[in-house]
Amino acid sequence: MAQYADIIEIVAPSQAAAGNKVDIAVKIKNTYSAVISIMVGGALEYGVSPWPGIDFPENWANVNGGATYSFNGSFIMPDRRVTIHAYSYWYGSDGSWYFDDEFTKSVEIAAVSEPSISDFRIADFIKV
């Protein structure tokens, strides 16, 4: 259980096509009674080492006591199922960041549909 920076949820699609940008949000609650600095981090697990990171343009915020903050990030979907690992940290009065919580969510690879005859126009096949 988290001490001060409790990850409540990872908001991400259940599936995505390979090569597409996947937007995510990691919701972290400040369980302390006063304002503290909270930081988010993340990595992707899908069979490569080291695990690639997740891009969070704004990866920390001062969060009011009892409030939940949503950190927005993204990654490019690999060619297979991926597990998102999100991490939370809180900033101590000694000037150090402390790891606090971890949460995971899986994103499946979206099947690419085969084109149907209705996807084509006759004009695409006629040379002028």
Side-chain angles (χ1 to χ4, degrees), residues 34-90:
V35 173
I36 61 170
S37 295
I38 292 176
M39 183 170 61
V40 68
L44 304 172
E45 178 185 4
Y46 60 93
V48 298
S49 183
W51 292 353
I54 297 170
D55 180 36
F56 291 99
E58 295 182 15
N59 69 341
W60 74 274
N62 291 322
V63 182
N64 290 331
T68 298
Y69 191 87
S70 185
F71 293 92
N72 297 309
S74 65
F75 63 91
I76 301 301
M77 185 67 181
D79 62 354
R80 63 194 81 136
R81 176 184 180 274
V82 66
T83 300
I84 299 167
H85 289 261
Y87 309 101
S88 69
Y89 305 84
W90 54 272

Short mmCIF file of all heavy atoms in Angstrom, two decimals, residues 34-90:
data_model
loop_
_atom_site.label_atom_id
_atom_site.label_comp_id
_atom_site.label_asym_id
_atom_site.label_seq_id
_atom_site.Cartn_x
_atom_site.Cartn_y
_atom_site.Cartn_z
N ALA A 34 -1.50 17.43 3.70
CA ALA A 34 -1.05 18.72 3.17
C ALA A 34 -0.52 18.56 1.75
O ALA A 34 -0.42 17.44 1.23
CB ALA A 34 0.04 19.30 4.08
N VAL A 35 -0.15 19.67 1.14
CA VAL A 35 0.41 19.65 -0.22
C VAL A 35 1.76 18.93 -0.19
O VAL A 35 2.59 19.17 0.68
CB VAL A 35 0.63 21.10 -0.74
CG1 VAL A 35 1.36 21.09 -2.07
CG2 VAL A 35 -0.69 21.83 -0.86
N ILE A 36 1.95 18.03 -1.17
CA ILE A 36 3.25 17.39 -1.37
C ILE A 36 3.52 17.34 -2.87
O ILE A 36 2.61 17.43 -3.69
CB ILE A 36 3.34 15.97 -0.78
CG1 ILE A 36 2.32 15.02 -1.42
CG2 ILE A 36 3.23 15.99 0.74
CD1 ILE A 36 2.53 13.55 -1.04
N SER A 37 4.79 17.18 -3.21
CA SER A 37 5.17 16.99 -4.61
C SER A 37 5.09 15.50 -4.92
O SER A 37 5.59 14.67 -4.15
CB SER A 37 6.59 17.49 -4.85
OG SER A 37 6.65 18.89 -4.65
N ILE A 38 4.44 15.20 -6.04
CA ILE A 38 4.28 13.82 -6.49
C ILE A 38 4.87 13.72 -7.89
O ILE A 38 4.69 14.61 -8.71
CB ILE A 38 2.80 13.40 -6.49
CG1 ILE A 38 2.28 13.33 -5.05
CG2 ILE A 38 2.61 12.07 -7.21
CD1 ILE A 38 0.81 13.01 -4.94
N MET A 39 5.56 12.61 -8.16
CA MET A 39 6.15 12.36 -9.47
C MET A 39 5.64 11.03 -10.00
O MET A 39 5.39 10.10 -9.23
CB MET A 39 7.68 12.34 -9.38
CG MET A 39 8.36 12.16 -10.72
SD MET A 39 10.18 12.41 -10.69
CE MET A 39 10.70 11.15 -9.54
N VAL A 40 5.51 10.96 -11.32
CA VAL A 40 5.09 9.73 -11.99
C VAL A 40 6.23 9.24 -12.88
O VAL A 40 7.02 10.03 -13.38
CB VAL A 40 3.80 9.95 -12.83
CG1 VAL A 40 4.07 10.87 -14.02
CG2 VAL A 40 3.22 8.64 -13.31
N GLY A 41 6.29 7.95 -13.05
CA GLY A 41 7.22 7.33 -13.98
C GLY A 41 6.53 6.13 -14.60
O GLY A 41 5.49 5.69 -14.11
N GLY A 42 7.10 5.61 -15.66
CA GLY A 42 6.47 4.45 -16.26
C GLY A 42 7.38 3.75 -17.24
O GLY A 42 8.32 4.34 -17.78
N ALA A 43 7.09 2.47 -17.46
CA ALA A 43 7.85 1.65 -18.40
C ALA A 43 6.91 0.66 -19.05
O ALA A 43 5.82 0.37 -18.54
CB ALA A 43 8.98 0.93 -17.67
N LEU A 44 7.35 0.12 -20.19
CA LEU A 44 6.55 -0.83 -20.96
C LEU A 44 7.21 -2.19 -20.97
O LEU A 44 8.39 -2.32 -21.31
CB LEU A 44 6.41 -0.34 -22.41
CG LEU A 44 5.82 1.06 -22.58
CD1 LEU A 44 5.92 1.48 -24.03
CD2 LEU A 44 4.37 1.07 -22.11
N GLU A 45 6.45 -3.20 -20.60
CA GLU A 45 6.95 -4.57 -20.60
C GLU A 45 6.33 -5.32 -21.78
O GLU A 45 5.11 -5.44 -21.86
CB GLU A 45 6.58 -5.26 -19.30
CG GLU A 45 7.02 -6.70 -19.24
CD GLU A 45 6.54 -7.42 -18.00
OE1 GLU A 45 5.78 -6.83 -17.19
OE2 GLU A 45 6.91 -8.59 -17.86
N TYR A 46 7.20 -5.76 -22.71
CA TYR A 46 6.70 -6.56 -23.84
C TYR A 46 7.78 -7.44 -24.45
O TYR A 46 7.76 -7.77 -25.62
CB TYR A 46 6.03 -5.68 -24.91
CG TYR A 46 6.91 -4.63 -25.54
CD1 TYR A 46 7.61 -4.88 -26.73
CD2 TYR A 46 7.02 -3.37 -24.98
CE1 TYR A 46 8.40 -3.91 -27.32
CE2 TYR A 46 7.80 -2.39 -25.56
CZ TYR A 46 8.49 -2.66 -26.74
OH TYR A 46 9.27 -1.68 -27.32
N GLY A 47 8.73 -7.86 -23.63
CA GLY A 47 9.73 -8.81 -24.08
C GLY A 47 11.05 -8.23 -24.52
O GLY A 47 11.89 -8.95 -25.04
N VAL A 48 11.26 -6.93 -24.35
CA VAL A 48 12.55 -6.33 -24.66
C VAL A 48 13.19 -5.86 -23.37
O VAL A 48 12.51 -5.60 -22.38
CB VAL A 48 12.42 -5.16 -25.67
CG1 VAL A 48 11.86 -5.64 -26.99
CG2 VAL A 48 11.59 -4.03 -25.11
N SER A 49 14.52 -5.75 -23.39
CA SER A 49 15.23 -5.32 -22.20
C SER A 49 16.29 -4.31 -22.62
O SER A 49 16.99 -4.55 -23.60
CB SER A 49 15.88 -6.52 -21.53
OG SER A 49 16.52 -6.13 -20.35
N PRO A 50 16.44 -3.21 -21.94
CA PRO A 50 15.62 -2.77 -20.81
C PRO A 50 14.23 -2.34 -21.28
O PRO A 50 14.02 -2.06 -22.46
CB PRO A 50 16.39 -1.59 -20.24
CG PRO A 50 17.14 -1.04 -21.42
CD PRO A 50 17.47 -2.22 -22.28
N TRP A 51 13.31 -2.27 -20.33
CA TRP A 51 11.95 -1.83 -20.65
C TRP A 51 11.98 -0.38 -21.13
O TRP A 51 12.57 0.48 -20.46
CB TRP A 51 11.05 -1.92 -19.44
CG TRP A 51 10.73 -3.29 -18.95
CD1 TRP A 51 11.06 -4.49 -19.54
CD2 TRP A 51 10.02 -3.62 -17.77
NE1 TRP A 51 10.59 -5.53 -18.80
CE2 TRP A 51 9.94 -5.03 -17.70
CE3 TRP A 51 9.44 -2.88 -16.77
CZ2 TRP A 51 9.31 -5.69 -16.66
CZ3 TRP A 51 8.81 -3.54 -15.73
CH2 TRP A 51 8.74 -4.92 -15.69
N PRO A 52 11.34 -0.09 -22.26
CA PRO A 52 11.27 1.31 -22.73
C PRO A 52 10.43 2.15 -21.78
O PRO A 52 9.46 1.66 -21.18
CB PRO A 52 10.60 1.21 -24.09
CG PRO A 52 10.72 -0.23 -24.49
CD PRO A 52 10.77 -1.01 -23.22
N GLY A 53 10.77 3.42 -21.67
CA GLY A 53 10.03 4.32 -20.81
C GLY A 53 8.79 4.88 -21.48
O GLY A 53 8.60 4.75 -22.70
N ILE A 54 7.95 5.50 -20.68
CA ILE A 54 6.75 6.19 -21.15
C ILE A 54 7.04 7.68 -21.07
O ILE A 54 7.62 8.14 -20.08
CB ILE A 54 5.53 5.82 -20.29
CG1 ILE A 54 5.24 4.32 -20.41
CG2 ILE A 54 4.31 6.65 -20.70
CD1 ILE A 54 4.20 3.81 -19.43
N ASP A 55 6.66 8.43 -22.09
CA ASP A 55 6.89 9.86 -22.12
C ASP A 55 5.80 10.59 -21.33
O ASP A 55 4.63 10.54 -21.70
CB ASP A 55 6.91 10.35 -23.57
CG ASP A 55 7.14 11.84 -23.67
OD1 ASP A 55 7.91 12.39 -22.84
OD2 ASP A 55 6.55 12.49 -24.55
N PHE A 56 6.19 11.23 -20.24
CA PHE A 56 5.31 12.10 -19.45
C PHE A 56 5.90 13.51 -19.54
O PHE A 56 6.85 13.83 -18.82
CB PHE A 56 5.24 11.67 -17.99
CG PHE A 56 4.52 10.38 -17.75
CD1 PHE A 56 5.23 9.20 -17.58
CD2 PHE A 56 3.13 10.35 -17.69
CE1 PHE A 56 4.57 8.00 -17.36
CE2 PHE A 56 2.47 9.16 -17.46
CZ PHE A 56 3.18 7.98 -17.30
N PRO A 57 5.37 14.38 -20.44
CA PRO A 57 5.94 15.72 -20.58
C PRO A 57 6.01 16.50 -19.27
O PRO A 57 6.97 17.23 -19.03
CB PRO A 57 5.00 16.41 -21.58
CG PRO A 57 4.42 15.28 -22.37
CD PRO A 57 4.28 14.15 -21.39
N GLU A 58 5.00 16.37 -18.43
CA GLU A 58 5.02 16.97 -17.09
C GLU A 58 4.91 15.82 -16.10
O GLU A 58 3.83 15.27 -15.88
CB GLU A 58 3.86 17.95 -16.93
CG GLU A 58 4.00 19.15 -17.86
CD GLU A 58 2.89 20.16 -17.70
OE1 GLU A 58 2.16 20.14 -16.69
OE2 GLU A 58 2.76 20.99 -18.61
N ASN A 59 6.05 15.43 -15.52
CA ASN A 59 6.07 14.21 -14.72
C ASN A 59 6.00 14.44 -13.21
O ASN A 59 6.09 13.49 -12.44
CB ASN A 59 7.30 13.36 -15.06
CG ASN A 59 8.59 14.00 -14.62
OD1 ASN A 59 8.67 15.20 -14.37
ND2 ASN A 59 9.63 13.19 -14.53
N TRP A 60 5.82 15.69 -12.77
CA TRP A 60 5.64 15.92 -11.34
C TRP A 60 4.72 17.12 -11.14
O TRP A 60 4.57 17.96 -12.03
CB TRP A 60 6.97 16.12 -10.61
CG TRP A 60 7.62 17.45 -10.88
CD1 TRP A 60 8.44 17.77 -11.91
CD2 TRP A 60 7.48 18.64 -10.10
NE1 TRP A 60 8.82 19.09 -11.83
CE2 TRP A 60 8.24 19.65 -10.72
CE3 TRP A 60 6.78 18.95 -8.93
CZ2 TRP A 60 8.32 20.94 -10.22
CZ3 TRP A 60 6.87 20.24 -8.42
CH2 TRP A 60 7.64 21.21 -9.06
N ALA A 61 4.11 17.18 -9.96
CA ALA A 61 3.20 18.28 -9.63
C ALA A 61 3.09 18.39 -8.12
O ALA A 61 3.26 17.40 -7.39
CB ALA A 61 1.82 18.03 -10.23
N ASN A 62 2.79 19.60 -7.65
CA ASN A 62 2.43 19.81 -6.25
C ASN A 62 0.94 19.53 -6.14
O ASN A 62 0.13 20.15 -6.85
CB ASN A 62 2.75 21.23 -5.81
CG ASN A 62 4.24 21.47 -5.75
OD1 ASN A 62 5.01 20.61 -5.36
ND2 ASN A 62 4.67 22.66 -6.16
N VAL A 63 0.57 18.58 -5.30
CA VAL A 63 -0.81 18.11 -5.21
C VAL A 63 -1.35 18.37 -3.80
O VAL A 63 -0.71 18.01 -2.81
CB VAL A 63 -0.89 16.60 -5.56
CG1 VAL A 63 -2.33 16.12 -5.51
CG2 VAL A 63 -0.28 16.33 -6.94
N ASN A 64 -2.52 18.98 -3.74
CA ASN A 64 -3.15 19.27 -2.45
C ASN A 64 -3.47 17.99 -1.69
O ASN A 64 -3.72 16.94 -2.30
CB ASN A 64 -4.45 20.06 -2.66
CG ASN A 64 -4.20 21.47 -3.12
OD1 ASN A 64 -3.17 22.06 -2.81
ND2 ASN A 64 -5.13 22.02 -3.88
N GLY A 65 -3.50 18.09 -0.37
CA GLY A 65 -3.84 16.95 0.47
C GLY A 65 -5.20 16.39 0.10
O GLY A 65 -6.17 17.13 -0.04
N GLY A 66 -5.27 15.09 -0.10
CA GLY A 66 -6.52 14.42 -0.43
C GLY A 66 -6.93 14.51 -1.89
O GLY A 66 -7.91 13.88 -2.30
N ALA A 67 -6.21 15.29 -2.69
CA ALA A 67 -6.57 15.48 -4.10
C ALA A 67 -5.93 14.41 -4.99
O ALA A 67 -4.92 13.80 -4.63
CB ALA A 67 -6.15 16.86 -4.58
N THR A 68 -6.54 14.20 -6.15
CA THR A 68 -6.02 13.28 -7.15
C THR A 68 -5.57 14.09 -8.36
O THR A 68 -6.28 14.99 -8.80
CB THR A 68 -7.10 12.26 -7.57
OG1 THR A 68 -7.47 11.50 -6.42
CG2 THR A 68 -6.58 11.32 -8.64
N TYR A 69 -4.38 13.77 -8.87
CA TYR A 69 -3.82 14.47 -10.02
C TYR A 69 -3.65 13.48 -11.16
O TYR A 69 -3.23 12.34 -10.95
CB TYR A 69 -2.47 15.08 -9.65
CG TYR A 69 -1.94 16.04 -10.68
CD1 TYR A 69 -2.29 17.38 -10.67
CD2 TYR A 69 -1.09 15.60 -11.70
CE1 TYR A 69 -1.82 18.26 -11.62
CE2 TYR A 69 -0.62 16.46 -12.65
CZ TYR A 69 -0.98 17.80 -12.61
OH TYR A 69 -0.50 18.67 -13.57
N SER A 70 -3.97 13.92 -12.37
CA SER A 70 -3.86 13.07 -13.55
C SER A 70 -2.63 13.48 -14.36
O SER A 70 -2.55 14.61 -14.85
CB SER A 70 -5.13 13.21 -14.40
OG SER A 70 -5.09 12.32 -15.48
N PHE A 71 -1.68 12.56 -14.49
CA PHE A 71 -0.47 12.78 -15.28
C PHE A 71 -0.69 12.16 -16.65
O PHE A 71 -0.98 10.96 -16.76
CB PHE A 71 0.75 12.11 -14.61
CG PHE A 71 1.14 12.75 -13.31
CD1 PHE A 71 0.64 12.28 -12.11
CD2 PHE A 71 2.03 13.82 -13.29
CE1 PHE A 71 1.01 12.85 -10.91
CE2 PHE A 71 2.41 14.40 -12.09
CZ PHE A 71 1.89 13.91 -10.90
N ASN A 72 -0.55 12.97 -17.70
CA ASN A 72 -0.78 12.49 -19.06
C ASN A 72 0.54 12.10 -19.71
O ASN A 72 1.54 12.81 -19.59
CB ASN A 72 -1.48 13.57 -19.89
CG ASN A 72 -2.85 13.88 -19.33
OD1 ASN A 72 -3.64 12.99 -19.08
ND2 ASN A 72 -3.11 15.16 -19.09
N GLY A 73 0.51 10.97 -20.42
CA GLY A 73 1.70 10.48 -21.10
C GLY A 73 1.32 9.75 -22.38
O GLY A 73 0.14 9.64 -22.73
N SER A 74 2.34 9.22 -23.04
CA SER A 74 2.09 8.47 -24.27
C SER A 74 3.25 7.55 -24.58
O SER A 74 4.34 7.69 -24.04
CB SER A 74 1.85 9.43 -25.44
OG SER A 74 3.03 10.16 -25.72
N PHE A 75 2.97 6.61 -25.50
CA PHE A 75 4.01 5.73 -26.02
C PHE A 75 3.56 5.27 -27.40
O PHE A 75 2.40 5.42 -27.77
CB PHE A 75 4.28 4.54 -25.09
CG PHE A 75 3.11 3.61 -24.90
CD1 PHE A 75 2.93 2.50 -25.72
CD2 PHE A 75 2.19 3.82 -23.88
CE1 PHE A 75 1.85 1.63 -25.54
CE2 PHE A 75 1.12 2.97 -23.69
CZ PHE A 75 0.96 1.87 -24.53
N ILE A 76 4.49 4.70 -28.15
CA ILE A 76 4.17 4.12 -29.46
C ILE A 76 3.94 2.62 -29.25
O ILE A 76 4.78 1.94 -28.67
CB ILE A 76 5.30 4.36 -30.48
CG1 ILE A 76 5.56 5.87 -30.66
CG2 ILE A 76 4.97 3.70 -31.83
CD1 ILE A 76 4.37 6.67 -31.14
N MET A 77 2.79 2.15 -29.73
CA MET A 77 2.41 0.74 -29.53
C MET A 77 3.36 -0.18 -30.28
O MET A 77 3.56 -0.02 -31.49
CB MET A 77 0.97 0.53 -30.00
CG MET A 77 0.43 -0.86 -29.73
SD MET A 77 0.25 -1.15 -27.96
CE MET A 77 -0.36 -2.83 -27.96
N PRO A 78 3.96 -1.14 -29.58
CA PRO A 78 4.81 -2.12 -30.26
C PRO A 78 3.94 -3.13 -31.03
O PRO A 78 2.72 -3.02 -31.03
CB PRO A 78 5.56 -2.79 -29.10
CG PRO A 78 4.65 -2.64 -27.93
CD PRO A 78 3.91 -1.34 -28.13
N ASP A 79 4.58 -4.10 -31.60
CA ASP A 79 3.86 -5.08 -32.43
C ASP A 79 3.34 -6.27 -31.63
O ASP A 79 3.09 -7.34 -32.18
CB ASP A 79 4.75 -5.57 -33.57
CG ASP A 79 5.99 -6.29 -33.07
OD1 ASP A 79 6.23 -6.32 -31.83
OD2 ASP A 79 6.74 -6.84 -33.90
N ARG A 80 3.15 -6.08 -30.34
CA ARG A 80 2.62 -7.15 -29.49
C ARG A 80 1.98 -6.54 -28.25
O ARG A 80 2.12 -5.35 -27.99
CB ARG A 80 3.70 -8.14 -29.11
CG ARG A 80 4.82 -7.53 -28.28
CD ARG A 80 6.00 -8.44 -28.21
NE ARG A 80 6.76 -8.28 -29.44
CZ ARG A 80 8.06 -8.17 -29.50
NH1 ARG A 80 8.77 -8.25 -28.42
NH2 ARG A 80 8.68 -8.00 -30.62
N ARG A 81 1.30 -7.39 -27.48
CA ARG A 81 0.66 -6.97 -26.22
C ARG A 81 1.71 -6.32 -25.33
O ARG A 81 2.85 -6.75 -25.27
CB ARG A 81 0.08 -8.22 -25.55
CG ARG A 81 -0.53 -7.98 -24.21
CD ARG A 81 -0.98 -9.35 -23.63
NE ARG A 81 -1.56 -9.20 -22.35
CZ ARG A 81 -0.89 -9.17 -21.19
NH1 ARG A 81 0.42 -9.28 -21.18
NH2 ARG A 81 -1.52 -9.03 -20.05
N VAL A 82 1.28 -5.27 -24.60
CA VAL A 82 2.20 -4.55 -23.73
C VAL A 82 1.56 -4.40 -22.35
O VAL A 82 0.34 -4.26 -22.23
CB VAL A 82 2.58 -3.18 -24.34
CG1 VAL A 82 1.38 -2.27 -24.41
CG2 VAL A 82 3.69 -2.50 -23.58
N THR A 83 2.40 -4.47 -21.32
CA THR A 83 1.95 -4.17 -19.97
C THR A 83 2.55 -2.83 -19.56
O THR A 83 3.77 -2.66 -19.59
CB THR A 83 2.37 -5.27 -18.97
OG1 THR A 83 1.80 -6.50 -19.37
CG2 THR A 83 1.91 -4.93 -17.56
N ILE A 84 1.67 -1.90 -19.22
CA ILE A 84 2.10 -0.59 -18.74
C ILE A 84 2.40 -0.72 -17.24
O ILE A 84 1.56 -1.22 -16.48
CB ILE A 84 1.00 0.46 -18.94
CG1 ILE A 84 0.66 0.62 -20.41
CG2 ILE A 84 1.39 1.80 -18.30
CD1 ILE A 84 -0.62 1.41 -20.66
N HIS A 85 3.58 -0.30 -16.83
CA HIS A 85 3.94 -0.23 -15.41
C HIS A 85 4.05 1.24 -15.05
O HIS A 85 4.88 1.96 -15.61
CB HIS A 85 5.30 -0.90 -15.14
CG HIS A 85 5.27 -2.39 -15.26
ND1 HIS A 85 5.17 -3.22 -14.17
CD2 HIS A 85 5.33 -3.18 -16.34
CE1 HIS A 85 5.17 -4.48 -14.58
NE2 HIS A 85 5.28 -4.48 -15.90
N ALA A 86 3.19 1.71 -14.16
CA ALA A 86 3.25 3.10 -13.68
C ALA A 86 3.78 3.10 -12.26
O ALA A 86 3.48 2.21 -11.46
CB ALA A 86 1.86 3.73 -13.73
N TYR A 87 4.58 4.13 -11.94
CA TYR A 87 5.20 4.25 -10.63
C TYR A 87 4.93 5.64 -10.05
O TYR A 87 4.90 6.62 -10.79
CB TYR A 87 6.73 4.07 -10.73
CG TYR A 87 7.14 2.82 -11.46
CD1 TYR A 87 7.55 2.87 -12.78
CD2 TYR A 87 7.09 1.58 -10.83
CE1 TYR A 87 7.92 1.72 -13.46
CE2 TYR A 87 7.46 0.42 -11.50
CZ TYR A 87 7.88 0.50 -12.82
OH TYR A 87 8.23 -0.64 -13.49
N SER A 88 4.74 5.71 -8.74
CA SER A 88 4.58 7.01 -8.09
C SER A 88 5.70 7.22 -7.07
O SER A 88 6.25 6.26 -6.51
CB SER A 88 3.22 7.11 -7.40
OG SER A 88 3.15 6.24 -6.28
N TYR A 89 6.02 8.49 -6.88
CA TYR A 89 7.06 8.91 -5.95
C TYR A 89 6.57 10.16 -5.21
O TYR A 89 5.78 10.93 -5.74
CB TYR A 89 8.35 9.28 -6.69
CG TYR A 89 8.87 8.19 -7.59
CD1 TYR A 89 8.37 8.04 -8.88
CD2 TYR A 89 9.87 7.33 -7.17
CE1 TYR A 89 8.85 7.04 -9.73
CE2 TYR A 89 10.36 6.32 -8.01
CZ TYR A 89 9.84 6.18 -9.29
OH TYR A 89 10.30 5.21 -10.12
N TRP A 90 7.05 10.37 -4.01
CA TRP A 90 6.77 11.61 -3.27
C TRP A 90 8.10 12.23 -2.87
O TRP A 90 9.11 11.54 -2.74
CB TRP A 90 5.87 11.39 -2.06
CG TRP A 90 6.33 10.34 -1.09
CD1 TRP A 90 6.06 9.01 -1.14
CD2 TRP A 90 7.15 10.54 0.06
NE1 TRP A 90 6.66 8.36 -0.08
CE2 TRP A 90 7.32 9.29 0.67
CE3 TRP A 90 7.73 11.66 0.64
CZ2 TRP A 90 8.09 9.12 1.83
CZ3 TRP A 90 8.48 11.50 1.80
CH2 TRP A 90 8.65 10.23 2.37
#
